[in-house]
Amino acid sequence: MEHIIVIGGGGAGAALAHDLTLRGFEVSLFEKGDLLSGTTGRHHGLLHSGARYAVHDRAAAVECVEENNILRRIAPQALEQNDGLFVAISPDDEAYGKTLLDACLASGIEAKKLSATQARKLEPALTPEVRVALQVPDATIDAWRLAMHFFATARQNGARLHPFCEVQWIDTRAGRVTGVEILNYKTRKTSIVKGDLVVNAAGAWAGRVAALAGINVPVQPGPGVLVAVEGRVTNMVINRMRPAGEGDIIVPQRGLSVLGTSLWLTDDPDDVTLPKKHITRIIENCSLMVPAVGGAPVRSVWSAARPLIRDAEASSPQQISRTFECYDHKDTHGVEGIVSLLGGKATTVRAMAEKTADLICRKTGHKIACRTRTTPLLSWRRFYAVGAEDGP
Ligand SMILES: Cc1cc2nc3c(=O)[nH]c(=O)nc-3n(C[C@H](O)[C@H](O)[C@H](O)COP(=O)(O)OP(=O)(O)OC[C@H]3O[C@@H](n4cnc5c(N)ncnc54)[C@H](O)[C@@H]3O)c2cc1C
């Protein structure tokens, strides 16, 4: 079978390595840092029900709810199936609730209206100002463990995973992509790896990787800040019942509560600063929903960049769709042998991989059905016990 080179060891690369090995391809994955050291290892940890996107981004909402249901079946050990609440704390929020409920139901998201009393019975730490709530099938994901489930299974099925190996050059000398040059940071040596097809799954860095083959892709890095406070202020995921904005999600993660997030746009995916005013606003906004957040000690603060698909028409960064797209650069730029996978969410990496592997099957002339919807993933715990040692 063809040898596929995957660039990027985040959630998308992990899910793609899994899908391709299940379909019988030979897979080599290169990651410039450690596995999951990009955005995937630093996200909020919300398994989206899709409700956050249901009103303004229906495509992403539908993708999220479908994948939410699939991941509950194939990777239950990476999830806390705790559900989420959207809470209204102002008249405007309450008015938005009807639009939100209708959009959820139209997207296939099970949403149930709760009175303030019912919501506070489920989550006593909610502000007494709560007016009404919607219960939705959000859940908590362990960002690292979910992706390691994909890596463990891919590795068991023969994928070769190479952390600390940066792709520095893409070979297009033959008039098509024939391989990549790797710098191995452990040995400080470079080498050429030949492949039949290259997949650019470099997330927010996809623009830089595509440029190595002279290709321009519409990726838009969109960083955001996250704040972890001590203590689980709630057991459910809490969202503000209003159009997606800043400081409107609280995700319980083990003994912490992770508050998020903000969003700005940059050309540099490494420009993940920690603006102080973002931290203050996130804590202030989240404590309007759950006052205990305001007094909780801050354990850590970090940021990461979303791999958004550029959209010059979007009226604000929050309006940029969270859907994904897979580009065959033979069609976009006349360059055969390379495809780029852009956009998406940690929640939807399996679907992103399915679409990309379908494209690879079409390009290589194989008719092999995707099996990742129903194949249970090996636990992340098995990662170090299965497969070959992939290092240099
Ligand atoms: C603040 C924030 C909060 C978020 N919260 C959520 C959430 O709660 N739920 C959710 O579903 N999604 C969330 N997301 C989105 C989600 O994190 C991303 O969509 C997803 O993790 C992207 O995965 P990826 O594999 O595409 O990218 P990445 O995880 O970034 O992987 C790409 C990898 O490519 C590597 N790379 C780059 N260049 C090279 C090269 N030349 N050679 C080799 N490797 C290279 C990078 O080092 C990186 O590890 C959030 C994002 C942000 C920023």
Side-chain angles (χ1 to χ4, degrees):
M1 277 291 262
E2 287 80 0
H3 177 210
I4 313 297
I5 293 173
V6 179
I7 306 174
L16 182 58
H18 167 54
D19 191 319
L20 289 172
T21 49
L22 264 191
R23 297 197 208 207
F25 288 96
E26 197 187 324
V27 176
S28 300
L29 178 145
F30 297 98
E31 163 55 51
K32 68 178 177 171
D34 205 348
L35 297 176
L36 310 178
S37 59
T39 305
T40 301
R42 293 182 281 160
H43 70 70
H44 202 160
L46 168 52
L47 182 73
H48 285 274
S49 60
R52 181 169 176 80
Y53 306 117
V55 173
H56 68 284
D57 188 358
R58 187 63 56 85
V62 171
E63 287 159 8
C64 284
V65 69
E66 284 180 8
E67 293 307 307
N68 179 309
N69 286 325
I70 292 171
L71 291 175
R72 283 169 193 261
R73 291 198 304 272
I74 65 170
Q77 291 182 34
L79 309 177
E80 186 186 337
Q81 305 197 14
N82 42 355
D83 272 7
L85 294 177
F86 278 72
V87 296
I89 55 177
S90 74
D92 282 352
D93 292 356
E94 196 172 349
Y96 180 72
K98 165 92 177 82
T99 314
L100 179 61
L101 177 60
D102 291 347
C104 283
L105 297 178
S107 309
I109 302 161
E110 279 180 34
K112 191 168 79 181
K113 195 171 169 185
L114 302 181
S115 67
T117 312
Q118 287 169 319
R120 294 197 70 221
K121 199 163 171 204
L122 286 174
E123 281 302 349
L126 286 175
T127 170
E129 307 294 315
V130 68
R131 305 166 78 96
V132 66
L134 278 191
Q135 186 170 354
V136 295
D138 284 343
T140 294
I141 331 175
D142 183 307
W144 187 83
R145 288 180 182 172
L146 175 63
M148 290 308 276
H149 276 52
F150 284 108
F151 274 134
T153 319
R155 203 179 195 203
Q156 170 166 270
N157 291 333
R160 292 186 298 272
L161 311 175
H162 302 276
F164 303 109
C165 288
E166 179 167 358
V167 172
Q168 295 207 313
W169 179 63
I170 296 178
D171 191 351
T172 56
R173 287 174 301 178
R176 57 159 289 145
V177 170
T178 55
V180 294
E181 185 188 70
I182 309 298
L183 169 61
N184 184 322
Y185 284 106
K186 286 186 182 165
T187 61
R188 310 303 303 181
K189 288 193 177 135
T190 57
S191 55
I192 301 277
V193 181
K194 297 275 179 207
D196 297 298
L197 261 172
V198 170
V199 182
N200 169 13
W205 293 265
R208 291 192 180 164
V209 166
L212 300 175
I215 292 165
N216 187 11
V217 293
V219 69
Q220 172 62 72
V225 173
L226 292 162
V227 181
V229 297
E230 287 183 17
R232 260 173 97 93
V233 292
T234 61
N235 283 316
M236 300 172 82
V237 176
I238 307 298
N239 308 261
R240 180 89 182 256
M241 191 186 281
R242 67 177 184 195
E246 194 179 72
D248 51 6
I249 311 178
I250 303 172
V251 180
Q253 286 277 3
R254 302 184 207 176
L256 300 173
S257 301
V258 184
L259 322 178
T261 175
S262 56
L263 169 57
W264 70 97
L265 304 181
T266 173
D267 291 330
D268 178 1
D270 294 308
D271 171 27
V272 282
T273 52
L274 290 171
K276 226 180 162 129
K277 59 182 183 211
H278 290 217
I279 301 169
T280 316
R281 281 205 305 263
I282 287 169
I283 295 173
E284 275 171 14
N285 284 337
C286 287
S287 55
L288 294 176
M289 301 187 288
V290 178
V293 160
V298 173
R299 172 69 72 84
S300 62
V301 179
W302 68 99
S303 55
R306 299 166 183 84
L308 303 173
I309 300 176
R310 195 175 303 131
D311 178 2
E313 310 286 300
S315 53
S316 73
Q318 283 292 359
Q319 296 295 313
I320 298 176
S321 176
R322 302 307 200 265
T323 191
F324 54 87
E325 198 45 77
C326 186
Y327 300 87
D328 180 350
H329 295 306
K330 177 156 192 302
D331 299 337
T332 61
H333 292 77
V335 181
E336 180 56 287
I338 179 166
V339 303
S340 289
L341 175 56
L342 303 186
K345 302 288 302 174
T347 302
T348 59
V349 289
R350 191 217 59 84
M352 295 163 68
E354 178 176 343
K355 190 167 183 178
T356 310
D358 283 349
L359 172 63
I360 289 171
C361 281
R362 285 198 300 281
K363 286 183 73 64
T364 51
H366 296 293
K367 273 195 176 159
I368 312 168
C370 176
R371 290 193 284 133
T372 61
R373 284 170 185 261
T374 49
T375 304
L377 294 169
L378 214 55
S379 165
W380 59 275
R381 292 185 182 83
R382 302 283 300 149
F383 177 78
Y384 296 100
V386 295
E389 186 49 54
D390 309 296

